Amino acid sequence: MNILDLTLVKALERMQAGEFSSVEYVQAVLERNREAEYLNAVVYLDEAAVLEAATQRDRQRQDNDNPALLGAPLLLKDNINTVDLPTSACTPALKGHVPPGNAPITRALLDTGAIIFGKTNMHELAFGITNNNPTFGPARNPYNPDLIPGGSSGGTAVAVAAGILPAGLGSDTGGSTRIPAALCGICGYRPTIGRYPAGGVVPISATRDTPGPMAGAVEDIQLLDRVMAGDAEPVETVNLADVRLGVPRAYYYENLETGLADVIESTLDLLAASCKSLVEVDLDGMDELNQKVSFPIVLYEARRDMVQYLADFAPGISIEDVLGGIASPDVKEVYTAVVSGEAISEDAYREAITVHRPRLQVLFSGYFSDNSLDALVVPTVPMTAPPLGHDNTVDLNGEQQPTMATIIRNTDPSSNAGIPSLSVAAGLAANGLPVGICLEGPAGSDRRLLAIGKAVQEQVGFLPRPQVARDRYNRGRN
C-alpha cells in the first residue's frame, strides 16, 4: 500500500514501528501536492521548513519521545494563526501577514509532534461556501475540477480528498468544515462549541466560530479531537445495535436533489438494518427559531470580533482596510453591511443571543432526551457540488436558489445551537459526485458522536479516491 493511502492513525503507527520515517512521509506528501497543484488546495508552503521539521521529529522519535502526533503533517486553513507561515484568511489586506503568535489550536498540534505542512485555500474571510477566491484562485473539487469543493474550508477538504495527506484543520461557523467534506467525499467535524481552545483565528462570530478537524477517516477525526480538546481518555467505541437515531424529515429532507436523495435513502435503509432503531420525528419550530438566531448573531459580531482580532494580531491594519481590499463580490456586499454597523441593531442581536438561541438549544436538547436519541441523521447538503462561478444562485431541481442559504440549510441550525455535528461520506450519486450525511448529537456528546460516526463509516464504507479529475482539467485547458 502507498503510504499516502494510510489513515493518519495507521501512518503514525507505522512510523512508530520504524517502517518509514517522518522525512519519507513528508517527501511523499510534497510529491503528491505537486501532482495535485492544479486543484489549488494549498496557498502557503515552505518545503525546506517542512522537511527540516520532519527531520527534527525523526530525531525526537529516536530519543523515545513519542507524543500523539509525532511526525504527522497537517494542513491548516488560512485563517488559523501560525508564526512560521502567513495567515491571510485569503483576503488581500492580510495577504502575507504573519501574526506574532500561534493560535492555541496550532500550539496544541505542535506540542504533540505535528508538522504544520502548509495553509489551505478558503472562501475569502470565510464568508461563503464556494471557495471561489479571486485573489488566490478557486479551489477545485477533486471529483471534477470544474465544480466547487464547498467552503469555506474548501482547500483542506480538497487536499484530503485528493490524497495529498490524510487530515487537516478547517473552521466552522455555519457549516464550513462539513459542507466541503460532503461535497468532496470526506469527513468534517464541528465540535460542541467551546470544546477546543479559542482565539488566534480570523473571526466571523465568537458565538459560532470553532476550529474543526477534517479527514478521510473518522478515526483520524477522533485522534485530532482528543489532541485539540486535551482529552486523555481512551477513544470510545459503540455498537450500532445500541444506537437510536432521529430522522427529522420536515425541513432537512425537503427539496433534495434527486440523485442525492437516492443515496440518502439507501444509507437510511442500511442504518435501519444496523441500528437499534431509526425514529422519524421532527424538530417542530426549529426553522423559525434558527432564522432568528443565525444572521443576527453573525452580522453583529463580525465587525466587533474582527476589530478585536486586528488589534491583537495586525494592529497596522484596520477593518476599513480589510473591506477596501475584498476581491469577492459576494463577500464585499455582506462585509460592507458588517463594517457599517447598520446590518443588525443591538436590540435584535441581544434578543437573538438571550432569547432565541437559548430556545433553540432547549429545542435540540429536548429532541434528544424526549425521544431517547443518541443522535439525529440528516443530509449534510441538499445537493451535490455545483459548478464554479455560481456564487449567488444555484440550480436545484430546475429552479434557481440562493447559493449560501441553500447549501448551509442543513448545517446552520446545529451551528447556532452549538451542538456537535459530523459529516460522513454516504456514497456517490448517479452523477458520480459525493453525498454526505450529518450525524448530530446533544451538547457535550462529542466522544460518543464520533464513536457512532466511526461505526457508521465502517458500515457505509469509504468512497473511491477520484482518479480522472486531472485529465478533465487538462482537457478543459487545451
Side-chain angles (χ1 to χ4, degrees):
M1 176 181 286
N2 186 307
I3 60 176
L4 294 183
D5 293 331
L6 298 170
T7 67
L8 181 61
V9 168
K10 297 299 188 296
L12 288 167
E13 289 174 354
R14 294 196 181 189
M15 277 193 283
Q16 177 61 22
E19 296 185 26
F20 53 86
S21 67
S22 299
V23 168
E24 290 171 322
Y25 192 37
V26 162
Q27 287 172 333
V29 174
L30 286 168
E31 178 59 30
R32 180 66 65 85
N33 182 60
R34 295 184 198 107
E35 294 170 357
E37 279 182 344
Y38 70 101
L39 296 173
N40 200 27
V42 181
V43 294
Y44 293 115
L45 168 63
D46 184 335
E47 292 196 6
V50 170
L51 285 167
E52 175 57 30
T55 301
Q56 293 174 358
R57 300 303 185 271
D58 284 333
R59 293 194 194 106
Q60 197 172 338
R61 185 175 292 106
Q62 290 169 2
D63 293 337
N64 293 316
D65 182 9
N66 296 296
L69 296 177
L70 185 63
L74 298 173
L75 280 164
L76 273 58
K77 187 177 179 180
D78 186 37
N79 61 348
I80 301 172
N81 280 3
T82 50
V83 297
D84 295 323
L85 289 168
T87 300
S88 71
C90 286
T91 195
L94 293 171
K95 191 173 183 180
H97 163 67
V98 179
N102 285 319
I105 207 73
T106 305
R107 291 199 301 270
L109 299 173
L110 290 170
D111 288 347
T112 49
I115 298 167
I116 307 305
F117 181 79
K119 307 295 282 292
T120 57
N121 203 339
M122 57 182 282
H123 201 104
E124 187 171 1
L125 289 167
F127 263 92
I129 50 75
T130 67
N131 215 132
N132 186 20
N133 191 295
T135 303
F136 289 84
R140 298 177 178 275
N141 194 304
Y143 283 84
N144 182 338
D146 295 326
L147 307 181
I148 70 167
S152 59
S153 310
T156 302
V158 170
V160 173
I164 295 173
L165 38 56
L169 258 61
S171 68
D172 194 304
T173 302
S176 288
T177 57
R178 296 159 290 162
I179 289 165
L183 298 187
C184 291
I186 65 166
C187 306
Y189 189 55
R190 177 190 172 89
T192 298
I193 197 70
R195 179 166 172 82
Y196 305 151
V201 179
V202 181
I204 294 180
S205 161
T207 297
R208 296 179 51 179
D209 293 348
T210 178
M214 304 171 73
V218 178
E219 69 174 2
D220 292 345
I221 301 279
Q222 288 177 302
L223 172 60
L224 293 175
D225 171 76
R226 292 174 67 229
V227 167
M228 293 191 290
D231 185 349
E233 295 297 316
V235 171
E236 188 170 335
T237 59
V238 300
N239 187 331
L240 285 182
D242 300 323
V243 171
R244 283 170 56 90
L245 296 177
V247 182
R249 291 278 182 182
Y251 179 87
Y252 289 101
Y253 286 78
E254 295 171 358
N255 195 26
L256 301 179
E257 184 182 288
T258 303
L260 177 144
D262 293 339
V263 175
I264 296 295
E265 292 303 323
S266 295
T267 303
L268 290 179
D269 289 344
L270 181 63
L271 293 177
S274 306
C275 294
K276 184 175 183 179
S277 57
L278 263 58
V279 182
E280 297 213 5
V281 57
D282 293 327
L283 276 152
D284 296 331
M286 183 277 297
D287 186 14
E288 181 180 1
L289 272 177
N290 186 60
Q291 289 184 40
K292 292 178 178 178
V293 176
S294 184
F295 284 103
I297 289 178
V298 163
L299 294 180
Y300 186 88
E301 292 187 347
R303 184 183 193 281
R304 178 198 70 188
D305 296 344
M306 178 60 91
V307 167
Q308 187 62 58
Y309 174 88
L310 294 172
D312 291 342
F313 301 106
I317 301 172
S318 70
I319 194 168
E320 289 77 17
D321 294 332
V322 173
L323 172 61
I326 291 174
S328 306
D330 58 322
V331 180
K332 187 86 166 185
E333 181 179 0
V334 68
Y335 222 74
T336 299
V338 164
V339 173
S340 74
E342 298 174 357
I344 296 292
S345 70
E346 184 169 354
D347 287 345
Y349 169 68
R350 295 298 171 197
E351 188 174 14
I353 282 286
T354 63
V355 178
H356 302 310
R357 184 170 184 261
R359 286 178 179 171
L360 182 66
Q361 292 172 319
V362 168
L363 178 64
F364 272 102
S365 177
Y367 179 81
F368 295 118
S369 61
D370 294 347
N371 298 290
S372 301
L373 300 174
D374 296 283
L376 61 80
V377 56
V378 297
T380 309
V381 182
M383 61 189 298
T384 55
L388 281 164
H390 291 242
D391 295 330
N392 295 316
T393 64
V394 289
D395 183 292
L396 177 57
N397 293 328
E399 295 186 1
Q400 290 298 306
Q401 303 287 347
T403 301
M404 171 78 87
T406 299
I407 292 181
I408 71 168
R409 185 188 79 188
N410 285 4
T411 57
D412 197 47
S414 56
S415 305
N416 289 311
I419 62 175
S421 177
L422 171 70
S423 182
V424 178
L428 296 176
N431 61 7
L433 297 177
V435 175
I437 56 167
C438 250
L439 298 159
E440 303 185 333
S445 67
D446 298 74
R447 292 168 53 79
R448 181 162 180 80
L449 184 69
L450 289 173
I452 293 169
K454 184 173 185 293
V456 168
Q457 186 175 52
E458 289 169 352
Q459 284 287 316
V460 174
F462 292 81
L463 296 190
R465 180 166 292 156
Q467 299 293 330
V468 296
R470 189 185 185 95
D471 292 338
R472 289 179 183 169
Y473 177 73
N474 289 335
R475 284 201 302 272
R477 298 185 70 192
N478 293 332

